[in-house]
Amino acid sequence: MDLVLLTGVSGFIAKHVALKLLNAGYSVRGTLRRMDRAEEVRAALAPYLTEHAGVLTFVQADLESDAGWAEAMAGVSALVHTASPFPIAQPKDPATVIRPAVEGTERVLKAAASAGVTRVILTSSTVAVLNEAKPDTLQDEADWCDIHLPSTTPYAKSKTLAERTAWEIAKARGLKLTTINPGLVLGPPLDEHYGSSLGLVERFLKGKDPMLPPMGIPVVDVRDVAEMHLRALQRPETEGRRYLASSGSMAFVDMGRTLKAAYPTRRIPTREAPKAIVRLLSVFDASIKSILPKLGHLERVSNARAVKEMGMEFIAPKAALLASADWLVKHGRIWA
């Protein structure tokens, strides 16, 4: 079966993508910055692999270095590029997140083109789609984040510029590119190494905030995101297209109330904070400042293309949220 190169294989989304690919019969070569994480990835996937799963191997390569990429591409039929920096808080220097995302995408896609690998699936984000000049409108694959707005975060700029770079290289070098643009990715991790991905759910369950900001964002289950990567790879008609991975949007207060109903004994916030209080808090907390333009808005994106062209049936936002919480509580990540 075909060999697929999967970048950043130790990531929360990437492990699920690896599982989908392997169980579909593909062999997967995963890139790691440090080879000592190979056994961690193997152990995470092992309980879920079928008897007909493809072969999993690893190669060392870093987004910020040319070393190893030519070797990584050898004999590969397709590239699935999931690796990208994901900051917990917005950095003081935007370049620390923008540069590796953009240069890394450029480095990996050019290495693929040089090796004759033409099929590429790229993990982007709905932040590369959502234009804050059009709040509360249902946005789709034709929309792009406006990086010139003063409110655009370094993370949104990094994902937007990285995706635009990918499309430019694809056009110039003849790559058959598909992008998958997920919203907030929830759902169960495959092991305890999931980085900052479920940080929001952990924060809710720990009751760190007395109230919640008046805003909402698109949500998707990690298992659906992985399935979309697989379907994109299997369907040539997806080449040259973007696909939004979202099962719907949830307001933060609805997330809080959903979790409180499931865990009534926990101190989970269920009240919405007045905008004035959030603005005041942002003076003291830089991570809050980045959400100010979103206050009072429910960001929404359309999943119609994924449903129509990929046949996706999405896990509901509440189910994805509860699956995350369930896993965190059962695995002792959140103490009573």
Side-chain angles (χ1 to χ4, degrees):
M1 181 52 103
D2 293 348
L3 173 62
V4 177
L5 182 70
L6 176 60
T7 68
V9 69
S10 62
F12 172 52
I13 294 173
K15 281 185 186 126
H16 276 274
V17 173
L19 182 62
K20 288 281 186 185
L21 293 172
L22 289 164
N23 281 342
Y26 291 92
S27 287
V28 173
R29 178 185 293 158
T31 74
L32 292 166
R33 279 186 299 171
R34 300 193 338 258
M35 290 298 282
D36 61 2
R37 295 195 68 183
E39 284 314 306
E40 166 204 316
V41 178
R42 279 195 194 281
L45 298 177
Y48 308 99
L49 291 173
T50 65
E51 59 181 309
H52 302 296
V55 178
L56 175 64
T57 56
F58 301 93
V59 63
Q60 188 166 11
D62 190 317
L63 290 183
E64 299 190 60
S65 167
D66 288 333
W69 287 107
E71 295 84 353
M73 296 291 171
V76 165
S77 64
L79 164 68
V80 178
H81 181 40
T82 71
S84 184
F86 184 84
I88 295 175
Q90 298 300 330
K92 286 181 181 173
D93 178 7
T96 59
V97 66
I98 294 171
R99 186 180 51 75
V102 175
E103 291 181 4
T105 295
E106 190 173 0
R107 176 172 283 116
V108 175
L109 266 64
K110 284 183 175 177
S114 297
V117 180
T118 57
R119 188 66 176 112
V120 180
I121 316 295
L122 173 77
T123 314
S124 185
S125 170
T126 53
V127 299
V129 173
L130 288 160
N131 185 335
E132 287 182 0
K134 300 180 4 180
D136 300 315
T137 60
L138 184 67
Q139 301 191 45
D140 62 22
E141 287 85 356
D143 290 293
W144 281 90
C145 165
D146 184 348
I147 61 168
H148 302 296
L149 291 175
S151 57
T152 303
T153 64
Y155 177 63
K157 284 181 184 175
S158 79
K159 297 303 284 188
T160 306
L161 290 169
E163 191 188 336
R164 285 206 179 274
T165 297
W167 285 113
E168 286 164 13
I169 294 170
K171 187 176 181 182
R173 303 290 293 267
L175 300 178
K176 298 168 183 174
L177 174 66
T178 303
T179 68
I180 309 296
N181 298 61
L184 174 66
V185 182
L186 300 177
L190 292 178
D191 67 358
E192 298 194 1
H193 303 276
Y194 50 84
S196 56
S197 300
L198 298 183
L200 182 64
V201 185
E202 290 181 343
R203 193 171 178 123
F204 276 112
L205 290 170
K206 288 176 180 175
K208 286 202 166 185
D209 308 286
M211 288 185 281
L212 299 165
M215 57 179 281
I217 52 179
V219 170
V220 66
D221 192 288
V222 66
R223 293 163 290 187
D224 286 338
V225 178
E227 181 64 26
M228 285 178 70
H229 283 74
L230 174 63
R231 292 190 188 189
L233 191 59
Q234 292 174 328
R235 301 179 187 212
E237 63 271 23
T238 65
E239 293 167 9
R241 293 172 80 71
R242 306 169 91 195
Y243 291 88
L244 304 189
S246 167
S247 57
S249 295
M250 279 190 89
F252 277 36
V253 70
D254 289 334
M255 292 185 196
R257 288 169 183 170
T258 298
L259 291 171
K260 183 67 175 175
Y263 302 97
T265 59
R266 290 183 174 274
R267 277 181 46 205
I268 297 169
T270 57
R271 290 186 301 148
E272 208 162 62
K275 292 181 195 175
I277 288 180
V278 181
R279 289 196 181 98
L280 179 64
L281 290 172
S282 74
V283 176
F284 309 100
D285 188 337
S287 66
I288 295 175
K289 189 175 284 187
S290 66
I291 66 167
L292 291 183
K294 303 176 188 295
L295 295 183
H297 301 300
L298 181 68
E299 294 179 336
R300 296 183 304 129
V301 297
S302 170
N303 64 15
R305 179 178 286 179
V307 171
K308 184 180 178 184
E309 297 182 11
M310 288 184 171
M312 287 299 299
E313 294 180 17
F314 287 97
I315 296 164
K318 282 187 177 180
L321 174 65
L322 290 171
S324 305
D326 226 26
W327 191 95
L328 291 167
V329 171
K330 281 182 180 169
H331 289 79
R333 301 296 294 217
I334 307 295
W335 304 111

